[in-house]
Amino acid sequence: MVRVRFAPSPTGHLHIGGARTALFNWLFARHHKGKFILRIEDTDRSRSTEEYIESIIEALKWLGLDCDEGPYRQTERMEIYKAYAYRLLQEGKAYRCYCTPQELEARRQQAMKEGKPPRYDRRCRSISEKLDKPFAIRFKIPLEGESTVQDLVKGPVTFKNSELEDLIILRSDGTPTYNFCVVVDDFDMKITHVIRGEDHLNNTPKQIHIYHALGIEPPQFAHIPMILGPDRSRLSKRHGATSVLSYRDEGYLSDAMVNFLARLGWSYGDQEIFTKDELIKYFNLQQVGKANAIFNAEKLLWLNSEYIKLTSEEKLLELVIPFLIQEGYLKEGETLDLAWACKAIKSLKERCRTLKELAHAMRYYILDYVDIDPKSKEKYITEKTIPLLREITEKLEALEEFTQDKIEKIFMDMVNEKGLKLGQIAQPVRVVITGSTVSPGIYEVLEIVGKEKTLKRLRRVIHAS
RNA sequence: GGUCCCAUCGUCUAGCCCGGUCGAGGACGUAGCCCUCUCAAGGCUAAAACACGGGUUCGAAUCCCGUUGGGACCGCCA
């Protein structure tokens, strides 16, 4: 039974990189009909917050990455780590280190200055008696030999033990450290595959030594490449929106985000668009690339527009309502006629790339009056076009059935009578009705806006001039 | 600085493991054309890459070595 975990530390919102790690784990679990476990690595109490834990869970939920177990919290398991650490101490596989953080820091600085590797010199490793001083517990790394990580993505990676440091597993305040907790937890939670960011690759040999010291078999490892910002450095706040939830708030669909994330570092031939089921069916670690990937916001935007096109009008309506409320086009609790709203969305869905854009475009369907863009007004609402607007208003007013084809006939008749080009009348009307020169087809727009609002807007403009 | 990882169009990538079918394919973006009441969408076309240098081989994007470049890690952070 495959068991994988996503183990974020709640020191920030779930970002793009973390989300992809979570996704790969989730896909791997679902593909193998295994379990996906969430574990919160909050041993750094000073930087972890409840708010971030909730935010991460919310983001996972939005992405649809449901977990089968957890969230477990490391802070609730402190006694377990402590017991394992003392067991290693008793068995002589770890030792008390009496060096203070200040001393260690000073020595590190010194070593750096001399151009030497800033590694702990193991001076406490040989102290056999117990001193009456505060101590941390350090793990004994074998002095010689080498260890190889059989990585499912990178292949075999070998490290010399002499390059590894005796790491602290229990701090002097009795709290355990990351590299130790992971091992204990992954063992305790029966994790079979550790799929995580490449930034952990260098930690892996240390962890493997801890597994061996504990007398347990390490899980399989898969280190996936990093996601970099456009400047090729690690994705961070200064690259703008990197929090997954900020994309939700900007009107991205979670399936588009999932699809985007999946294709960052993984591929399946030339296919670009995948349903979740396809992703589950096709996902494998062999197809995960080895090279880092740069986050390409343009492609995400494109994917989002593709997903909007693929989504039903009913579903889009449901999704766009919060944005309509946010934009102030709809009051909380107010509803729209379902059939009418779907027609409106249908006319707009292929020209909007986000739900936010869709909501904004819907303003001219929903509101009584719209603000007219000054430049468009200057160009299209002129003394030449006002008579045309007046005439078309009269004709539209006389129309019994305010439908697309009837409206079209009125426009075409007028164009033919006067020898105009359609644009000469369509554009002024568009500007009056939608407030700008850009919209779906004018007949469609008028039908959806409806006779009443159409006439109101036309008359207001005519009377104002 | 040390250790480790990586290297195909600007970007995501296919191909690489199992050399010849690659005069390197797809997608985003960009440019142009078509469609057209505007804007999109759609269709067509174009520019655009095997980092470099050595091997191995009849033949290398594919295998080996080196160089360069990028990234990660070197904490009583995770």
Side-chain angles (χ1 to χ4, degrees), chain A residues 235-286:
Chain A
L235 209 55
S236 67
K237 308 100 234 152
R238 63 198 172 74
H239 294 112
T242 56
S243 152
V244 164
L245 289 179
S246 70
Y247 285 93
R248 175 195 63 184
D249 300 340
E250 284 302 307
Y252 286 78
L253 303 184
S254 68
D255 284 348
M257 179 56 93
V258 164
N259 194 147
F260 174 74
L261 256 16
R263 279 287 287 103
L264 220 49
W266 173 83
S267 62
Y268 186 77
D270 285 339
Q271 192 169 339
E272 294 287 348
I273 306 218
F274 298 84
T275 63
K276 255 196 180 132
D277 286 343
E278 284 175 319
L279 248 20
I280 291 169
K281 193 164 140 202
Y282 301 144
F283 185 79
N284 61 52
L285 259 11
Q286 293 77 44

Side-chain angles (χ1 to χ4, degrees), chain A residues 373-441:
Chain A
D373 165 59
K375 276 194 183 141
S376 308
K377 186 172 184 175
E378 192 183 328
K379 184 166 179 193
Y380 291 105
I381 315 297
T382 63
E383 48 192 37
K384 273 191 187 161
T385 60
I386 289 288
L388 295 174
L389 287 171
R390 191 172 286 131
E391 188 171 338
I392 199 114
T393 305
E394 281 163 19
K395 289 183 172 160
L396 287 171
E397 190 171 6
L399 204 56
E400 292 281 315
E401 287 169 78
F402 208 72
T403 59
Q404 249 188 86
D405 26 319
K406 302 276 195 253
I407 295 167
E408 177 171 5
K409 189 168 183 305
I410 286 180
F411 273 74
M412 289 320 290
D413 286 350
M414 201 165 142
V415 161
N416 292 334
E417 271 171 35
K418 299 200 177 297
L420 296 168
K421 280 190 180 165
L422 183 54
Q424 289 175 287
I425 180 67
Q427 279 303 76
V429 172
R430 189 188 316 277
V431 169
V432 171
I433 301 306
T434 71
S436 87
T437 55
V438 172
S439 85

Side-chain angles (χ1 to χ4, degrees), chain A residues 153-358:
Chain A
V153 171
K154 304 283 182 184
V157 183
T158 302
F159 297 84
K160 285 196 188 71
N161 292 158
S162 58
E163 298 292 339
L164 270 27
E165 156 172 272
D166 284 355
L167 65 153
I168 286 172
I169 56 175
L170 205 70
R171 300 182 187 102
S172 49
D173 66 358
T175 61
T177 59
Y178 164 75
N179 279 111
F180 188 60
C181 295
V182 205
V183 172
V184 171
D185 282 338
D186 286 340
F187 165 65
D188 203 48
M189 297 174 188
K190 300 183 169 58
I191 300 302
T192 57
H193 301 259
V194 171
I195 304 168
R196 78 227 303 191
E198 193 185 295
D199 47 340
H200 291 285
L201 184 57
N202 289 296
N203 287 322
T204 311
K206 297 178 202 167
Q207 293 169 11
I208 288 178
H209 282 120
I210 298 176
Y211 277 103
H212 291 328
L214 253 17
I216 53 186
E217 233 357 81
Q220 303 246 66
F221 293 98
H223 288 93
I224 61 181
M226 306 270 84
I227 297 177
L228 274 24
D231 63 352
R232 303 197 158 271
S233 75
R234 204 176 166 165
L235 209 55
S236 67
K237 308 100 234 152
R238 63 198 172 74
H239 294 112
T242 56
S243 152
V244 164
L245 289 179
S246 70
Y247 285 93
R248 175 195 63 184
D249 300 340
E250 284 302 307
Y252 286 78
L253 303 184
S254 68
D255 284 348
M257 179 56 93
V258 164
N259 194 147
F260 174 74
L261 256 16
R263 279 287 287 103
L264 220 49
W266 173 83
S267 62
Y268 186 77
D270 285 339
Q271 192 169 339
E272 294 287 348
I273 306 218
F274 298 84
T275 63
K276 255 196 180 132
D277 286 343
E278 284 175 319
L279 248 20
I280 291 169
K281 193 164 140 202
Y282 301 144
F283 185 79
N284 61 52
L285 259 11
Q286 293 77 44
Q287 281 304 313
V288 174
K290 295 180 179 189
N292 293 340
I294 293 171
F295 175 72
N296 182 194
E298 285 285 346
K299 190 154 184 178
L300 171 58
L301 197 54
W302 167 75
L303 256 177
N304 204 54
S305 70
E306 290 298 308
Y307 270 84
I308 285 181
K309 275 179 241 161
L310 290 169
T311 305
S312 71
E313 284 78 38
E314 289 80 2
K315 184 69 191 168
L316 285 173
L317 174 61
E318 185 187 324
L319 293 170
V320 82
I321 282 179
F323 292 90
L324 291 174
I325 292 169
Q326 193 187 312
E327 298 286 331
Y329 306 144
L330 203 64
K331 287 192 201 80
E332 192 93 45
E334 196 178 344
T335 54
L336 296 169
D337 177 79
L338 181 68
W340 175 82
C342 285
K343 212 157 71 171
I345 289 170
K346 190 176 182 203
S347 76
L348 293 167
K349 65 193 276 195
E350 70 187 20
R351 45 202 109 213
C352 294
R353 295 180 300 178
T354 67
L355 293 170
K356 215 174 185 174
E357 284 180 16
L358 177 61

Side-chain angles (χ1 to χ4, degrees), chain A residues 38-40 42 50 53 71-77 81:
Chain A
L38 178 61
R39 182 172 77 221
I40 307 292
D42 56 352
E50 277 314 304
I53 293 178
Y72 294 113
R73 293 242 224 149
Q74 290 189 325
T75 43
E76 289 165 354
R77 302 166 50 80
Y81 310 122

